[in-house]
Amino acid sequence: MAESPRLSVNSAAAVDSAISLVVQAVDVERGLTGEETTVVTKAVDSVVSETFSYEQDQLAAAAESTTVVVSEAIKFEKEYYQDHEDAVNESISEMVSESIKTDLKFKEQAPTHAKVVYTELTLALIKPDALKAGHDREIRYAMHAHGFVIVHEAYIKFTSVRAGIFYDHHRGKPWFQRLTRFMSSGPVHGFVLGKERAARSWNVVIGPTDPEQARKESPLSLRARFGRDILRNAVHGSFNAARARQEIKFIFPNVVMDPLPDPPKARITFDKTLKRTLIMGLTALCKAKPYSEPLKVLRWFARWLQEHNPNRPYIDGKRYVEVVIPD
């Protein structure tokens, strides 16, 4: 008998049982002899063997076909995801490029103050002679024309003592007493000016200390136009940024001298210190709807901010010092 293909235990038992039944049936029906029965058994066994051989070939072909299909599917999936990833990366690159272009375009179109990385402050004084002669308006116009921002201004009156302190760096010079007397002889119009490199820029605008020299070297400067002599030279300007800080603190002690933050730093400060409190306050305002008049709404919101200020100090054991907001 030809060698049968390997079958599982259950399959082999089923085949043996089937062969036995076939042989019995044929033997009963036809009354075959033992040799005939052996022949029939061999024939049936051969058919079964061929059947299983065919099934194995079919299974092998199916397995091979399945392997090909799976390989193609995996290949297609890899190509799809690779194409999809390339498309996503290309899209992200385009978005980034557009964002950079937009940012650059915004910076090009931004106003001058948005491009200034650091705004410096300097002190400017219109001296008594120029103020008395009525040049205040023209000098103020020159400040705006040259791009200065007036941060603070006030009319002040020097005493001889305060004038001596202000010009202490000139003490010991022969004209020191005349200078202090002149500066305390009438009102002075003081300005805190803001601009990039403010001290140097203002000194260019006002010109050399001596008006005669200014008329020769810088005829359009303020001292060339309005100054009379080296003492009465119309305007004062701090000669550098460090000196400007000292003079501003002396003349205007309440002016904040910290540099103005640029927009990104201002946004970080806002998000860190103000945003949460303002959102909570505005939400409370929307829920409460206390008044219909805008002024009363502002007063309500001011009281809410006062009561919920996260940075309120401890003073005399109290959480905060109450500020009365009038109705």
Side-chain angles (χ1 to χ4, degrees):
M1 183 183 296
E3 184 178 357
S4 301
R6 294 184 180 181
L7 302 173
S8 64
V9 175
N10 292 334
S11 298
V15 170
D16 290 341
S17 176
I19 292 173
S20 177
L21 289 173
V22 170
V23 172
Q24 290 178 10
V26 173
D27 189 29
V28 171
E29 290 294 329
R30 296 184 181 181
L32 299 176
T33 62
E35 292 180 0
E36 291 174 339
T37 300
T38 302
V39 171
V40 171
T41 301
K42 289 181 178 180
V44 172
D45 188 40
S46 176
V47 170
V48 171
S49 298
E50 290 178 1
T51 300
F52 276 97
S53 177
Y54 173 78
E55 289 179 355
Q56 279 192 332
D57 293 340
Q58 290 293 100
L59 289 174
E64 184 178 357
S65 177
T66 302
T67 302
V68 172
V69 171
V70 171
S71 299
E72 290 294 329
I74 293 173
K75 183 179 178 181
F76 173 78
E77 185 178 13
K78 287 182 178 179
E79 291 177 353
Y80 171 79
Y81 280 107
Q82 183 65 43
D83 294 341
H84 182 68
E85 184 178 358
D86 293 341
V88 170
N89 291 335
E90 184 177 356
S91 177
I92 292 174
S93 299
E94 290 178 358
M95 291 173 62
V96 171
S97 299
E98 288 297 324
S99 176
I100 293 173
K101 290 179 181 178
T102 303
D103 186 57
L104 292 174
K105 185 177 180 181
F106 170 77
K107 289 181 178 179
E108 289 175 358
Q109 297 177 350
T112 303
H113 65 82
K115 299 178 183 179
V116 176
V117 176
Y118 170 69
T119 301
E120 185 180 284
L121 301 180
T122 192
L123 180 73
L125 299 177
I126 301 178
K127 295 182 178 181
D129 60 318
L131 203 58
K132 186 177 180 179
H135 299 310
D136 189 23
R137 184 176 179 181
E138 295 174 272
I139 295 173
R140 184 188 182 90
Y141 174 80
M143 295 175 181
H144 290 291
H146 288 86
F148 290 92
V149 176
I150 298 177
V151 177
H152 188 74
E153 63 176 309
Y155 288 94
I156 57 178
K157 181 67 169 67
F158 278 114
T159 63
S160 57
V161 175
R162 283 183 60 82
I165 296 173
F166 184 78
Y167 286 107
D168 188 67
H169 55 289
H170 293 312
R171 191 179 297 276
K173 295 180 180 178
W175 39 263
F176 176 74
Q177 293 297 331
R178 289 190 294 120
L179 175 62
T180 55
R181 282 197 303 268
F182 166 68
M183 289 301 294
S184 59
S185 64
V188 174
H189 196 171
F191 297 85
V192 177
L193 302 179
K195 187 182 178 181
E196 187 179 10
R197 302 180 183 88
R200 186 174 69 180
S201 299
W202 180 241
N203 284 323
V204 171
V205 173
I206 65 179
T209 304
D210 187 350
E212 291 298 328
Q213 181 183 357
R215 293 184 185 98
K216 296 176 182 177
E217 298 179 2
S218 183
L220 298 179
S221 65
L222 296 179
R223 283 173 174 159
R225 294 167 60 194
F226 307 123
R228 298 172 60 185
D229 52 47
I230 196 168
L231 181 65
R232 293 169 293 184
N233 58 4
V235 287
H236 165 84
S238 305
F239 57 85
N240 59 33
R243 181 67 186 176
R245 294 180 67 89
Q246 297 175 7
E247 293 180 348
I248 291 172
K249 286 183 178 180
F250 181 79
I251 303 295
F252 302 111
N254 294 325
V255 172
V256 177
M257 292 295 296
D258 293 333
L260 300 176
D262 54 49
K265 290 182 180 179
R267 184 56 185 266
I268 292 172
T269 302
F270 173 79
D271 290 343
K272 184 178 179 181
T273 60
L274 298 176
K275 185 176 181 179
R276 184 172 179 272
T277 302
L278 288 177
I279 290 175
M280 291 172 60
L282 293 173
T283 303
L285 178 62
C286 292
K287 291 181 179 179
K289 297 179 181 179
Y291 306 101
S292 58
E293 298 179 13
L295 185 58
K296 290 185 177 181
V297 172
L298 288 175
R299 286 171 177 164
W300 185 95
F301 191 55
R303 289 193 187 95
W304 190 96
L305 291 175
Q306 177 192 7
E307 294 171 0
H308 296 83
N309 177 15
N311 299 315
R312 57 188 183 272
Y314 286 98
I315 298 179
D316 296 332
K318 296 182 180 180
R319 180 61 177 168
Y320 64 97
V321 177
E322 184 176 1
V323 178
V324 179
I325 301 173
D327 294 326

mmCIF file of all heavy atoms in Angstrom, residues 60-75:
data_model
loop_
_atom_site.group_PDB
_atom_site.id
_atom_site.type_symbol
_atom_site.label_atom_id
_atom_site.label_comp_id
_atom_site.label_asym_id
_atom_site.label_seq_id
_atom_site.Cartn_x
_atom_site.Cartn_y
_atom_site.Cartn_z
ATOM 1 N N ALA A 60 -1.311 24.071 0.433
ATOM 2 C CA ALA A 60 -0.025 24.725 0.190
ATOM 3 C C ALA A 60 -0.187 25.896 -0.776
ATOM 4 O O ALA A 60 0.376 26.982 -0.571
ATOM 5 C CB ALA A 60 0.984 23.723 -0.371
ATOM 6 N N ALA A 61 -0.989 25.658 -1.857
ATOM 7 C CA ALA A 61 -1.226 26.727 -2.816
ATOM 8 C C ALA A 61 -1.969 27.897 -2.163
ATOM 9 O O ALA A 61 -1.664 29.072 -2.387
ATOM 10 C CB ALA A 61 -2.023 26.195 -4.004
ATOM 11 N N ALA A 62 -2.967 27.541 -1.319
ATOM 12 C CA ALA A 62 -3.718 28.587 -0.632
ATOM 13 C C ALA A 62 -2.820 29.372 0.322
ATOM 14 O O ALA A 62 -2.910 30.597 0.427
ATOM 15 C CB ALA A 62 -4.892 27.969 0.138
ATOM 16 N N ALA A 63 -1.933 28.626 1.040
ATOM 17 C CA ALA A 63 -1.017 29.296 1.964
ATOM 18 C C ALA A 63 -0.078 30.230 1.219
ATOM 19 O O ALA A 63 0.188 31.357 1.648
ATOM 20 C CB ALA A 63 -0.221 28.250 2.746
ATOM 21 N N GLU A 64 0.439 29.750 0.076
ATOM 22 C CA GLU A 64 1.333 30.583 -0.723
ATOM 23 C C GLU A 64 0.609 31.823 -1.241
ATOM 24 O O GLU A 64 1.136 32.944 -1.214
ATOM 25 C CB GLU A 64 1.879 29.767 -1.894
ATOM 26 C CG GLU A 64 2.906 30.532 -2.732
ATOM 27 C CD GLU A 64 3.473 29.672 -3.851
ATOM 28 O OE1 GLU A 64 3.103 28.487 -3.925
ATOM 29 O OE2 GLU A 64 4.289 30.200 -4.635
ATOM 30 N N SER A 65 -0.639 31.591 -1.707
ATOM 31 C CA SER A 65 -1.429 32.718 -2.189
ATOM 32 C C SER A 65 -1.710 33.720 -1.075
ATOM 33 O O SER A 65 -1.626 34.934 -1.259
ATOM 34 C CB SER A 65 -2.745 32.199 -2.779
ATOM 35 O OG SER A 65 -3.556 33.274 -3.189
ATOM 36 N N THR A 66 -2.026 33.182 0.110
ATOM 37 C CA THR A 66 -2.287 34.054 1.261
ATOM 38 C C THR A 66 -1.045 34.849 1.638
ATOM 39 O O THR A 66 -1.109 36.050 1.941
ATOM 40 C CB THR A 66 -2.739 33.211 2.467
ATOM 41 O OG1 THR A 66 -3.906 32.482 2.109
ATOM 42 C CG2 THR A 66 -3.044 34.116 3.660
ATOM 43 N N THR A 67 0.116 34.192 1.588
ATOM 44 C CA THR A 67 1.369 34.874 1.895
ATOM 45 C C THR A 67 1.622 36.033 0.928
ATOM 46 O O THR A 67 2.027 37.130 1.314
ATOM 47 C CB THR A 67 2.545 33.884 1.829
ATOM 48 O OG1 THR A 67 2.311 32.817 2.747
ATOM 49 C CG2 THR A 67 3.860 34.587 2.187
ATOM 50 N N VAL A 68 1.353 35.767 -0.365
ATOM 51 C CA VAL A 68 1.534 36.817 -1.372
ATOM 52 C C VAL A 68 0.601 37.988 -1.101
ATOM 53 O O VAL A 68 0.994 39.153 -1.151
ATOM 54 C CB VAL A 68 1.305 36.250 -2.783
ATOM 55 C CG1 VAL A 68 1.299 37.378 -3.820
ATOM 56 C CG2 VAL A 68 2.382 35.224 -3.127
ATOM 57 N N VAL A 69 -0.670 37.648 -0.806
ATOM 58 C CA VAL A 69 -1.659 38.698 -0.547
ATOM 59 C C VAL A 69 -1.272 39.523 0.670
ATOM 60 O O VAL A 69 -1.331 40.760 0.670
ATOM 61 C CB VAL A 69 -3.055 38.078 -0.355
ATOM 62 C CG1 VAL A 69 -4.047 39.137 0.138
ATOM 63 C CG2 VAL A 69 -3.540 37.457 -1.650
ATOM 64 N N VAL A 70 -0.862 38.823 1.757
ATOM 65 C CA VAL A 70 -0.461 39.528 2.976
ATOM 66 C C VAL A 70 0.755 40.416 2.711
ATOM 67 O O VAL A 70 0.818 41.563 3.169
ATOM 68 C CB VAL A 70 -0.171 38.520 4.109
ATOM 69 C CG1 VAL A 70 0.454 39.230 5.312
ATOM 70 C CG2 VAL A 70 -1.445 37.812 4.527
ATOM 71 N N SER A 71 1.731 39.890 1.974
ATOM 72 C CA SER A 71 2.925 40.673 1.642
ATOM 73 C C SER A 71 2.552 41.928 0.858
ATOM 74 O O SER A 71 3.053 43.024 1.125
ATOM 75 C CB SER A 71 3.907 39.832 0.842
ATOM 76 O OG SER A 71 4.327 38.706 1.582
ATOM 77 N N GLU A 72 1.655 41.747 -0.123
ATOM 78 C CA GLU A 72 1.217 42.892 -0.913
ATOM 79 C C GLU A 72 0.480 43.917 -0.047
ATOM 80 O O GLU A 72 0.652 45.129 -0.197
ATOM 81 C CB GLU A 72 0.313 42.433 -2.060
ATOM 82 C CG GLU A 72 1.035 41.666 -3.163
ATOM 83 C CD GLU A 72 2.025 42.549 -3.901
ATOM 84 O OE1 GLU A 72 1.775 43.761 -4.016
ATOM 85 O OE2 GLU A 72 3.063 42.024 -4.330
ATOM 86 N N ALA A 73 -0.330 43.373 0.880
ATOM 87 C CA ALA A 73 -1.080 44.274 1.767
ATOM 88 C C ALA A 73 -0.138 45.066 2.668
ATOM 89 O O ALA A 73 -0.306 46.276 2.869
ATOM 90 C CB ALA A 73 -2.067 43.459 2.620
ATOM 91 N N ILE A 74 0.871 44.352 3.213
ATOM 92 C CA ILE A 74 1.841 45.030 4.078
ATOM 93 C C ILE A 74 2.613 46.084 3.292
ATOM 94 O O ILE A 74 2.833 47.212 3.757
ATOM 95 C CB ILE A 74 2.804 44.001 4.710
ATOM 96 C CG1 ILE A 74 2.042 43.103 5.693
ATOM 97 C CG2 ILE A 74 3.954 44.717 5.429
ATOM 98 C CD1 ILE A 74 2.867 41.953 6.227
ATOM 99 N N LYS A 75 3.013 45.720 2.068
ATOM 100 C CA LYS A 75 3.741 46.651 1.222
ATOM 101 C C LYS A 75 2.895 47.881 0.905
ATOM 102 O O LYS A 75 3.353 49.025 0.977
ATOM 103 C CB LYS A 75 4.156 45.946 -0.069
ATOM 104 C CG LYS A 75 4.984 46.808 -1.008
ATOM 105 C CD LYS A 75 5.379 46.027 -2.259
ATOM 106 C CE LYS A 75 6.174 46.896 -3.218
ATOM 107 N NZ LYS A 75 6.542 46.146 -4.444
#
